[in-house]
Amino acid sequence: MTTANAYPATQSIRTIGILGGGQLGMMLAEAALPLGYRCVFLEDAPNCPASLYGQVFTSEQLEDFIAAADVFTLEFENTPADTVARLKKMSDDGQKQGMFPPPQALQVAQDRLKEKSLFNELDIQTVPFKSVSSKKELQDASQALGLPLVLKTSRGGYDGKGQFVVKTEADINEAWKALGDAVSGKGNLTPTPAPLIAEGFINFSREVSIIATRAQDGNMRCYDLVENHHHTGILATSEAPAVGTSHLLPEAKNAIEKLMTHLDYVGTMALELFVSKDEDDNDVILANEIAPRVHNSGHWSIEGAVTSQFENHIRAVVGLPLGDTDNVHPSIMVNVLGQYPNIADVLAIDGAHYHTYHKEERADRKIAHITLMPNDVSDLDPALEQLVKVLPNKMGLDS
């Protein structure tokens, strides 16, 4: 059977509509072009990164955006759910070729309480948590979960925003003052009224994440676990593969495969996990959150995997078979925050691959990433040390 006959839907797809025009949309478009697809974007930010790769429509031009594309996907989980639901209905009615991922994945990812409840429903372990809708409930949660705990908005917030660490009972008033408005929909941390979520502390060891792609026929491919390090709540580095995690990979794969199957997911998804220690000092993985899209911790895969997370997402969206996700070379991905380095200094480091997002400089803004892949694996850490020296924002990596 020929490829054309096996994948007939791909013949009628020429243009992919991406909800969002940031760097993830840009890198999806970069992956789509060699496969013969072009992308258009729905984005209100002027001069967005994706504008280099295709036409950008504003939210006021939604109808034109819909008319311009055959199939749809997204690059940001805070995409309006009603837009995604509309595109899914158009696909169900045969007017379009699909909306991937489906609305139910977005609904879960946009609400931390729904997310963690689903994890538990599918027998995926999480940190202990409580829903909080009043200061009294926050006090009750502090008694049930113990202190310290982390209070978060259940909707909105990313890169460390919308969080407060409650260390003592004296912090409860301040925490409620900082985040309590989210319960009523006031303030700017959440788009709609929603309870807060209180999460208990654990015996934290490290953070890892797993990325997988699910095709329209249900086939799934998983990437290696990677280890993530953050600076002020923002991802600083991802090391692929995460050292010493082979014993955790089967459980992580099982968790993300259960989630994707349950959600009838199509496309690439990331699952962030905490590695904790049980009473016998054994490693335990706890699900933190999903990202229903390509993810920052998978940027290493552009050079470091046989098929990148971006290409596999495009393949899934247009109905093509998925590619090999094997790691071809250990690597470290480093985010560039706030200020650009001298590109010549970066590329003077053997094995350095530079990706700019064409954004204006702004404090703690993700404006580029660099993947280190020296030929000799033993040179990885020395290469990182070299890179840190030339980064304007060292993200605590020099300590």
Side-chain angles (χ1 to χ4, degrees):
M1 182 178 289
T2 66
T3 301
N5 290 331
Y7 301 97
T10 65
Q11 299 178 49
S12 59
I13 296 174
R14 293 291 178 267
T15 304
I16 303 166
I18 300 178
L19 299 165
Q23 65 264 23
L24 299 180
M26 180 190 77
M27 288 184 275
L28 283 169
E30 289 175 340
L33 279 173
L35 298 178
Y37 302 95
R38 68 184 187 95
C39 297
V40 294
F41 309 90
L42 188 69
E43 174 63 67
D44 286 331
N47 303 316
C48 63
S51 64
L52 295 168
Y53 288 88
Q55 186 173 359
V56 178
F57 298 86
T58 67
S59 55
E60 294 180 352
Q61 300 171 301
L62 176 61
E63 301 305 320
D64 293 332
F65 167 75
I66 292 173
D70 305 307
V71 66
F72 300 91
T73 188
L74 55 86
E75 61 123 41
F76 187 49
E77 59 262 44
N78 286 331
T79 299
D82 55 349
T83 301
V84 173
R86 178 186 174 189
L87 294 173
K88 176 65 165 62
K89 186 176 188 305
M90 292 181 71
S91 301
D92 292 343
D93 292 344
Q95 300 174 56
K96 294 293 178 178
Q97 292 289 337
M99 171 66 229
F100 307 112
Q104 59 265 30
L106 206 63
Q107 292 164 5
V108 169
Q110 287 181 350
D111 190 311
R112 292 182 178 89
L113 280 167
K114 288 182 179 179
E115 188 175 49
K116 283 192 165 53
S117 296
L118 177 60
F119 292 160
N120 290 172
E121 178 186 331
L122 296 176
D123 294 323
I124 300 170
Q125 291 189 74
T126 65
V127 299
F129 66 94
K130 294 285 186 181
S131 174
V132 171
S133 296
S134 67
K135 186 164 70 172
K136 173 64 166 58
E137 288 186 357
L138 176 55
Q139 292 169 331
D140 292 343
S142 71
Q143 294 295 318
L145 301 175
L147 294 175
L149 60 77
V150 182
L151 185 66
K152 301 178 180 179
T153 57
S154 60
R155 300 180 64 86
Y158 62 95
D159 285 344
K161 299 178 178 67
Q163 301 184 17
F164 194 105
V165 178
V166 181
K167 297 178 180 178
T168 68
E169 289 186 10
D171 292 331
I172 289 178
N173 285 336
E174 188 176 353
W176 186 253
K177 183 178 179 180
L179 301 181
D181 281 348
V183 174
S184 59
K186 298 177 182 178
N188 58 6
L189 287 174
T190 60
T192 56
L196 301 173
I197 180 171
E199 298 179 0
F201 268 42
I202 57 170
N203 185 10
F204 179 81
S205 176
R206 52 179 165 164
E207 181 190 297
V208 297
S209 58
I210 187 167
I211 290 175
T213 307
R214 185 173 185 266
Q216 294 180 34
D217 63 3
N219 181 44
M220 285 180 270
R221 294 289 188 98
C222 292
Y223 293 85
D224 282 331
L225 279 168
V226 302
E227 182 169 347
N228 304 314
H229 295 274
H230 295 78
H231 173 66
T232 62
I234 303 172
L235 183 66
T237 65
S238 292
E239 183 172 359
V243 176
T245 58
S246 59
H247 62 300
L248 299 174
L249 183 57
E251 185 177 353
K253 288 178 65 175
N254 182 54
I256 197 168
E257 288 173 355
K258 282 196 293 188
L259 284 163
M260 295 177 101
T261 300
H262 177 84
L263 294 170
D264 196 20
Y265 195 91
V266 171
T268 296
M269 172 192 284
L271 173 61
E272 297 179 5
L273 301 154
F274 296 140
V275 180
S276 181
K277 296 287 187 180
D278 64 16
E279 294 178 353
D280 298 320
D281 203 37
N282 296 314
D283 286 335
V284 177
I285 56 173
L286 305 171
N288 180 36
E289 62 185 25
I290 62 169
R293 52 173 172 80
V294 289
H295 192 258
N296 197 170
S297 69
H299 290 357
W300 64 273
S301 66
I302 297 174
E303 289 88 18
V306 176
T307 311
S308 77
Q309 64 163 343
F310 299 98
E311 181 177 333
N312 261 338
H313 184 80
I314 294 296
R315 290 188 185 204
V317 166
V318 301
L320 289 172
L322 302 182
D324 191 339
T325 54
D326 280 356
N327 184 310
V328 298
H329 201 291
S331 58
I332 297 176
M333 188 284 303
V334 181
N335 274 329
V336 177
L337 303 181
Q339 186 177 348
Y340 288 106
N342 183 319
I343 188 172
D345 292 337
V346 173
L347 296 182
I349 302 169
D350 285 343
H353 300 268
Y354 187 85
H355 297 260
T356 181
Y357 303 155
H358 308 281
K359 291 181 174 182
E360 293 182 0
E361 295 179 336
R362 191 175 69 205
D364 287 337
R365 187 185 202 187
K366 295 174 184 173
I367 56 176
H369 78 265
I370 298 158
T371 301
L372 299 173
M373 285 181 54
N375 185 53
D376 189 334
V377 174
S378 66
D379 289 334
L380 255 181
D381 288 338
L384 180 59
E385 291 176 9
Q386 285 181 266
L387 178 60
V388 170
K389 290 177 182 177
V390 303
L391 289 178
N393 184 344
K394 303 185 187 305
M395 300 173 291
L397 297 172
D398 57 344
S399 58

